[in-house]
């Protein structure tokens, strides 16, 4: 019985994520989610109470994806700066390919129309980047002029600003190419000593072994052409 209930929760959450991403919060109804998931409205209300709580569940799932991904990359036996760059590509792929991640970001952007308190965005990412830059400094791999506490917010802003641009221009299809170009610009100011940014990018271009969560099928573009308007919430 418990396994069946969990299966229902997962099915409803995935269906809701697809619809919230495609149509937004206001454009999605419980009846739509019921039809998409194949579960009754009563079953949906049993698990999620109302549409606001279901939207919050999608946003919470979005946030929950990141700690395991960060831990996985921090355990890779390579210099900290390379781990940071590799992590950025994994996050970029998740925002491109994972419908729960994309739906959670869109819902957070629409938070003023949803009567539920959303978790604060970006704070954990800034702390993560600062920690990885500090590790790079302790290894001797960070340029003397770089400051982890000062530079972490700037890197996070640049990363997610790039996502906004890529979302508008190409539906994030070129996000990996755009991210590589960003790192080629930034790495000379971050790497200690004579360093070759192209070589670092070549070393980290391949994903690390698949984490416990896997991206779902790439979401389709909304028929209305509406895109996600914020690129990270968590």
């Amino acid at each position: 019985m418990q396994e069946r209930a969990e299966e229902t929760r997962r099915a409803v959450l995935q269906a809701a994520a697809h619809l919230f991403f495609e149509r937004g919060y206001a454009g999605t109804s419980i009846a739509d989610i019921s039809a998409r998931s194949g579960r009754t409205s009563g079953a949906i209300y049993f698990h999620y109470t109302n549409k606001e709580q279901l939207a919050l569940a999608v946003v919470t799932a979005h946030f929950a994806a990141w700690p395991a991904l960060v831990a996985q990359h921090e355990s890779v036996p390579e210099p900290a700066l390379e781990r940071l760059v590799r992590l950025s590509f994994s996050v970029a792929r998740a925002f491109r390919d994972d419908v729960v991640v994309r739906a959670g970001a869109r819902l957070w952007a629409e938070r003023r129309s949803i009567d539920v308190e959303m978790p604060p965005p970006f704070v954990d990412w800034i702390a993560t980047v600062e920690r990885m830059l500090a590790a790079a400094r302790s290894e001797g791999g960070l340029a003397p002029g770089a400051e982890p506490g000062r530079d972490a917010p700037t890197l996070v802003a640049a990363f997610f600003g790039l996502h906004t641009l890529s979302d508008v221009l190409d539906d994030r299809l070129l996000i990996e190419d755009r991210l590589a170009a960003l790192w080629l610009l930034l790495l000379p100011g971050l790497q200690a000593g004579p360093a070759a940014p192209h070589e670092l990018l070549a070393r980290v271009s391949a994903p690390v072994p698949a984490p416990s969560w896997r991206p779902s099928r790439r979401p389709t573009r909304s028929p209305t052409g509406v895109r996600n308007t914020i690129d990270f919430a968590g």
Side-chain angles (χ1 to χ4, degrees):
M1 182 67 72
Q2 185 175 359
E3 183 177 344
R4 188 173 181 179
E6 285 302 314
E7 182 182 346
T8 295
R9 288 179 66 87
R10 286 193 298 269
V12 170
L13 189 72
Q14 281 289 319
H18 278 278
L19 291 169
F20 285 142
F21 170 71
E22 293 166 3
R23 305 178 186 180
Y25 179 78
T28 300
S29 68
I30 292 294
D32 296 330
I33 297 168
S34 174
R36 180 78 177 242
S37 66
R39 270 61 177 186
T40 66
S41 296
I44 295 173
Y45 284 122
F46 176 80
H47 288 287
Y48 292 104
T49 309
N50 52 40
K51 192 172 77 165
E52 289 87 351
Q53 291 301 314
L54 184 48
L56 179 60
V58 173
V59 173
T60 300
H62 167 118
F63 277 69
W66 306 126
L69 187 65
V70 170
Q72 180 191 24
H73 283 73
E74 288 189 320
S75 68
V76 174
E78 62 188 12
L81 193 57
E82 296 190 18
R83 294 199 302 269
L84 174 60
V85 177
R86 189 188 296 278
L87 173 63
S88 75
F89 279 94
S90 292
V91 175
R93 294 180 191 113
F95 271 95
R96 183 191 63 197
D97 300 333
D98 191 302
V99 70
V100 172
V101 169
R102 298 196 76 174
R106 177 168 183 173
L107 288 169
W108 197 91
E110 298 175 357
R111 65 195 180 281
R112 289 183 176 86
S113 65
I114 306 172
D115 188 20
V116 67
E117 186 176 354
M118 299 285 185
F122 304 121
V123 176
D124 288 343
W125 276 126
I126 292 171
T128 296
V129 173
E130 182 175 353
R131 183 173 67 249
M132 296 179 87
L133 289 176
R137 165 157 288 175
S138 69
E139 296 169 354
L142 201 64
E147 292 290 342
R150 180 198 65 197
D151 298 339
T154 302
L155 287 175
V156 171
F159 177 83
F160 291 109
L162 183 72
H163 271 270
T164 299
L165 182 146
S166 186
D167 186 46
V168 171
L169 295 184
D170 53 64
D171 196 22
R172 308 187 198 228
L173 294 176
L174 301 179
I175 187 58
E176 292 186 73
D177 292 339
R178 295 184 188 280
L179 183 56
L182 178 65
W183 279 119
L184 288 176
L185 177 67
L186 296 177
L187 281 171
L190 293 172
Q191 291 176 284
H198 286 87
E199 294 179 6
L200 187 154
L201 286 171
R203 288 194 296 273
V204 303
S205 59
V208 295
S212 57
W213 61 278
R214 291 177 179 272
S216 58
R217 180 178 60 83
R218 191 175 192 279
T220 57
R221 170 63 76 186
S222 166
T224 64
V226 175
R227 293 184 176 91
N228 189 4
T229 57
I230 191 168
D231 300 283
F232 175 68

